[in-house]
């Protein structure tokens, strides 16, 4: 086992002291990087990139060669799970994800099975192993999955949506069916994340991109409950270290205390909350990950630096903060601006850790 040379990210998630605030970016391997676009072109399409472990490893490493990041994130997608369940995922150029066989009838839910992870998603575990070897202890590797609710929205809508008509229709009219679907997804996500941990993921994150479209009652019943069940059944220690779990509900600002109470180690924040206010609300229960508005990266280096400084100041002194964007980095961002962001976090955060 190679020793981890930079464990700032893992320590911060466990609220242990660090020398400076660790930083990584959601979607750090992505289209804003010319080298990513080149590798993607070589792969032919996005899913082939995900399903070819050597290429997935290559794009995972690309942002780490450019920037002084404190964590790597597995290159994959949350929609590998519905794909493995037989829904047939494909990406239409410029249109986002689509499914050949979305869930449209009650019988579709009955027919779904928890996939054999090694058989159907072995390419993800292979990527995790190769990336760990390539990282050689430089920084920890984050594994991830979508939340059951967020996966269900794509599976029932058949792709992205603006109005969530089908998935909400099913939730309101057939809550029993929705629970059946979420139950199968929660089991699958649990096995999937545990397999990633067994293959070498050193922390895991659950992306609940669409939990924030629910009412408080429905959020607890249809999203949070299932994430909590997953947290309770994850492997929490591997290679002699704790494996921290981060939950991220976009637009989940009203429910941060509830999220913190699931037993997770960290809560991801989008940019619609003040991180200092959230810290007061949750106390020392969890670490916080976030939360710069990703569009600040379109501004000048000076403005980016100022924004980083304001967030650090709002969080204040002491451990428990992992710096990140409040959502994924956008594709038209200049890569040099991302570099200015990462450097600003390290430079400006040192006084808060004395
Ligand atoms: O963060 C990383 O660098 C790791 C890789 C990663 C991707 N998707 C790669 C990707 C992660 C963690 C995700 C998560 C993901 N995927 C989420 C949750 C986070 C969020 O953004 O809210 C969701 C909802 C998806 C589903 C998905 N995948 C959508 C809606 C799209 C198309 C949207 C778009 O940006 O075009 C994808 C495609 C996708 N996943 C790309 C990347 C780099 C772009 C594909 C391309 O190369 O064209």
């Amino acid at each position: 086992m190679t020793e981890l040379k930079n464990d700032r990210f893992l320590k911060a998630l466990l609220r242990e002291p660090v020398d400076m605030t660790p930083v990584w970016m959601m979607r750090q391997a992505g289209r804003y990087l010319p080298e990513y676009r080149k590798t993607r072109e070589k792969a032919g399409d996005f899913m082939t990139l995900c399903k070819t472990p050597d290429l997935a490893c290559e794009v995972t490493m690309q942002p780490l060669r450019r920037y002084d990041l404190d964590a790597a994130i597995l290159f994959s997608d949350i929609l590998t799970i519905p794909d493995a369940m037989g829904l047939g995922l494909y990406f239409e150029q410029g249109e986002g994800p689509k499914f050949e066989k979305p869930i449209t009838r009650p019988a579709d839910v009955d027919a779904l099975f928890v996939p054999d992870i090694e058989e159907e998603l072995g390419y993800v575990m292979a990527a995790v192993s190769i990336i760990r070897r390539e990282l050689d202890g430089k920084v920890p590797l984050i594994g991830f999955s979508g939340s059951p609710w967020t996966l269900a929205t794509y599976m029932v809508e058949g792709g992205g949506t603006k109005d969530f008509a089908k998935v909400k229709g099913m939730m309101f009219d057939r809550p029993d069916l929705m629970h059946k679907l979420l139950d199968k997804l929660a089991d699958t996500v649990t096995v999937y994340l545990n397999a990633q941990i067994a293959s070498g993921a050193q922390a895991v994150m659950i992306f609940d991109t669409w939990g924030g479209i629910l009412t408080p009652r429905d959020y607890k019943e249809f999203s949070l409950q299932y994430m909590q069940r997953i947290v309770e059944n994850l492997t929490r220690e591997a290679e002699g270290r704790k494996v921290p779990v981060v939950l991220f509900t976009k637009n989940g600002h009203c429910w941060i205390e509830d999220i913190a109470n699931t037993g997770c180690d960290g809560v991801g924040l989008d940019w619609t909350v003040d991180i200092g206010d959230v810290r007061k609300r949750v106390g020392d229960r969890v670490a916080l990950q976030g939360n710069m508005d990703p569009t600040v990266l379109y501004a000048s280096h000076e403005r980016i630096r100022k924004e980083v400084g304001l967030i650090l100041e709002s969080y204040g002194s002491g451990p428990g903060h992992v710096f990140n964007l409040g959502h994924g980095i956008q594709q038209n961002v200049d890569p040099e601006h991302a570099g200015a962001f990462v450097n600003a976090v390290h430079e400006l955060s040192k006084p808060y850790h004395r």
Side-chain angles (χ1 to χ4, degrees), residues 27-29 31 36 40 46 76-78 91 154 209 327:
R27 289 275 174 102
Q28 63 191 23
R31 285 168 295 189
Y36 169 84
R40 197 197 130 143
F46 176 71
S76 188
D77 198 81
I78 62 165
F91 282 81
Y154 286 99
T209 306
H327 200 211

Side-chain angles (χ1 to χ4, degrees), residues 24-31 36 40 46 49-50 63 73-79 91 93-97 144-146 150 154 160 207-210 248 250 327-328 331:
W24 68 281
M25 296 179 287
M26 285 193 261
R27 289 275 174 102
Q28 63 191 23
R31 285 168 295 189
Y36 169 84
R40 197 197 130 143
F46 176 71
L49 184 52
C50 289
I73 179 160
L74 161 71
F75 187 82
S76 188
D77 198 81
I78 62 165
L79 301 177
F91 282 81
Q93 201 63 41
E95 278 192 52
F144 70 90
S145 169
T150 293
Y154 286 99
F207 289 90
D208 186 28
T209 306
W210 300 120
F248 171 61
K250 183 155 181 286
H327 200 211
Q331 61 171 316

Side-chain angles (χ1 to χ4, degrees), residues 145-265:
S145 169
S147 72
W149 167 256
T150 293
L151 294 175
T153 62
Y154 286 99
M155 293 165 78
V156 175
E157 297 288 342
T161 173
K162 286 207 167 72
D163 55 17
F164 300 90
K166 297 183 185 121
V167 71
K168 283 209 169 174
M170 179 167 154
M171 178 185 85
F172 289 124
D173 279 335
R174 289 295 309 270
D176 58 315
L177 202 59
M178 183 53 83
H179 280 300
K180 202 183 234 181
L181 173 57
L182 293 168
D183 182 64
K184 291 186 187 192
L185 284 168
D187 284 349
T188 308
V189 170
T190 305
V191 186
Y192 183 50
L193 287 177
N194 280 339
Q196 290 183 29
I197 294 165
S199 301
Q202 290 148 296
V204 291
M205 175 154 167
I206 300 179
F207 289 90
D208 186 28
T209 306
W210 300 120
I213 64 158
L214 296 167
T215 65
R217 191 172 0 96
D218 292 333
Y219 174 69
K220 280 173 203 148
E221 178 174 344
F222 294 97
S223 185
L224 189 65
Q225 178 191 178
Y226 291 96
M227 290 199 284
Q228 165 142 24
R229 199 171 101 190
I230 295 163
V231 170
E232 284 164 2
N233 289 292
L234 287 180
T235 308
R236 298 295 279 273
E237 207 173 309
E239 304 174 36
R241 278 190 95 113
K242 289 217 167 117
V243 180
V245 186
V246 179
L247 299 186
F248 171 61
T249 294
K250 183 155 181 286
N251 262 308
H253 39 260
C254 308
W255 313 311
I256 290 160
E257 291 87 344
D258 302 299
I259 301 171
N261 285 340
T262 57
C264 65
D265 301 284

